[in-house]
């Protein structure tokens, strides 16, 4: 978890605590009435920190429910409803965190595949041209060199020995 994401997570928790405290102190709501504030907190934690954020938010939710349980005399169905609410929020947060983490992973993988050759792992033409332009635009005192390598008769190698042999030669080079 990066420092920036951790700060976002702490800010979300602080905002939720402030909203809940304000609702309890300045209105007629009790602690159990402001538990709904933990649902957007769970979603935000899942988005910011993935499954770890969802787990942290689930911990906060459970602690909040335990603490607010003593504040009011529960009605006959209040405890099962709260438990069902907690389970739904925790499962939803976990699923959101897992799907957003997978989305980020797939996005990074697509970015890598768009810039690098799958066979050799070297940068492709697009990435090469982008970095070459960056080097040409560099105004510093750094010097740059470019080496051009041409493989003579490479088509003949591919045609006679097969593409697998040609791929192996490219990998070795």
């Amino acid at each position: 978890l990066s420092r920036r994401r951790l700060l976002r997570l702490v800010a979300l928790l602080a905002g939720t605590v402030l909203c809940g405290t304000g609702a309890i102190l300045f209105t007629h709501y009790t602690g159990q009435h402001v538990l709904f504030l933990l649902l957007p907190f769970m979603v935000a934690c899942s988005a910011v920190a993935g499954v770890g954020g969802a787990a942290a938010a689930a911990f906060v939710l459970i602690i909040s429910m335990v603490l607010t349980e003593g504040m009011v005399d529960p009605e006959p169905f209040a405890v099962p409803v709260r438990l069902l609410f907690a389970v739904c929020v925790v499962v939803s947060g976990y699923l959101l965190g897992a799907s957003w983490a997978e989305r980020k992973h797939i996005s990074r993988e697509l970015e890598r595949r768009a810039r690098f050759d799958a066979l050799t792992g070297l940068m492709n033409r697009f990435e090469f041209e982008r970095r070459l332009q960056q080097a040409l635009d560099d105004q510093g005192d750094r010097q740059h060199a470019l080496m051009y390598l041409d493989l003579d008769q490479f088509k003949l190698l591919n045609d006679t020995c097969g593409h697998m042999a040609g791929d192996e030669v490219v990998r070795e080079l």
Side-chain angles (χ1 to χ4, degrees):
L1 195 63
S2 70
R3 181 181 173 103
R4 186 172 150 197
R5 286 183 142 187
L6 184 62
L7 288 174
R8 281 189 204 167
L9 200 56
V10 169
L12 287 169
L13 179 59
T16 303
V17 168
L18 286 174
C19 288
T21 304
I24 291 170
L25 293 177
F26 299 115
T27 64
H28 63 279
Y29 291 117
T30 60
Q32 73 174 7
H33 292 110
V34 294
L35 285 176
F36 70 91
L37 289 172
L38 293 173
L39 181 59
F41 176 68
M42 174 68 81
V43 171
C45 287
S46 299
V48 170
V51 175
F59 177 75
V60 170
L61 171 70
I62 299 303
I63 294 299
S64 300
M65 291 185 79
V66 168
L67 291 177
T68 59
E69 190 68 30
M71 297 172 84
V72 293
D73 188 18
E75 297 174 14
F77 294 109
V79 173
V81 168
R82 285 187 199 152
L83 289 175
L84 182 62
F85 172 76
V87 168
C88 290
V89 169
V90 169
V91 169
S92 299
Y94 176 79
L95 292 175
L96 285 171
S99 65
W100 280 327
E102 181 68 18
R103 182 186 58 95
K104 287 178 187 176
H105 172 72
I106 289 172
S107 176
R108 276 188 246 117
E109 181 64 22
L110 285 174
E111 179 71 22
R112 188 189 65 75
R113 286 183 184 187
R115 296 180 180 273
F116 294 91
D117 180 62
L119 174 65
T120 62
L122 299 173
M123 64 182 92
N124 61 17
R125 182 178 179 162
F126 170 77
E127 182 67 10
F128 171 75
E129 288 175 351
R130 188 184 72 78
R131 289 189 186 186
L132 179 62
Q133 188 61 48
Q134 228 176 9
L136 292 173
D137 292 343
D138 188 15
Q139 299 296 327
D141 294 334
R142 297 176 59 190
Q143 293 183 349
H144 304 283
L146 175 65
M147 183 175 105
Y148 178 78
L149 180 65
D150 187 20
L151 300 176
D152 290 334
Q153 305 296 318
F154 187 72
K155 182 177 178 342
L156 181 63
L157 174 71
N158 262 345
D159 290 344
T160 56
C161 299
H163 289 283
M164 289 177 60
D167 291 349
E168 188 61 34
V169 167
V170 168
R171 270 193 223 97
E172 291 295 320
L173 286 172

